[in-house]
Amino acid sequence: MTKEDRGYAQTMLVEMLDARFAVGFVEALFRSVAKLPKGPKAVIKSFLKGANKSLVKDKDDLKEMMKKPVIYKMIYNTVKLKTKSPWKIRETTGSW
């Protein structure tokens, strides 16, 4: 594995983690509204509680997340599909 290959893989991991955080916020919003809580205050409170799970609080938290990244299957499949052709070209030609 070359230096470029490793960089490419790291970039894909970062992209998948970014997408995971976005999905986490959408999921928190959906769950807070789906319960039909009592009024807008309750919706906001429920959303913030759920969104807090997707936030990176400090460097240690980020390091821990990078050791054991959680990637949703739908994100993995999307990235896999989008990067299939560039990776095949890389394997075939040996260059980007």
Side-chain angles (χ1 to χ4, degrees):
M1 181 178 263
T2 67
K3 184 178 173 182
E4 289 80 15
D5 294 341
R6 186 174 291 119
Y8 186 73
Q10 288 173 342
T11 301
M12 291 300 101
L13 177 60
V14 169
E15 289 293 323
M16 287 189 281
L17 287 173
D18 285 347
R20 175 199 174 255
F21 293 133
V23 169
F25 283 114
V26 172
E27 179 184 12
L29 181 61
F30 175 77
R31 288 182 186 274
S32 66
V33 176
K35 292 178 192 174
L36 296 176
K38 300 174 187 170
K41 273 188 177 179
V43 170
I44 293 169
K45 186 176 178 180
S46 177
F47 167 71
L48 292 175
K49 235 184 241 185
N52 192 34
K53 295 176 186 174
S54 294
L55 292 177
V56 178
K57 291 152 189 78
D58 56 20
K59 284 185 179 182
D60 294 331
D61 194 25
L62 181 61
K63 286 179 186 177
E64 197 60 37
M65 288 177 124
M66 293 302 282
K67 285 180 186 175
K68 297 177 186 174
V70 175
I71 307 295
Y72 292 110
K73 188 72 172 171
M74 66 179 190
I75 295 170
Y76 171 78
N77 289 339
T78 301
V79 170
K80 183 178 171 184
L81 183 65
K82 287 183 177 181
T83 59
K84 192 174 187 177
S85 295
W87 190 255
K88 287 270 187 211
I89 293 168
R90 168 73 172 108
E91 286 180 330
T92 308
T93 64
S95 66
W96 294 100

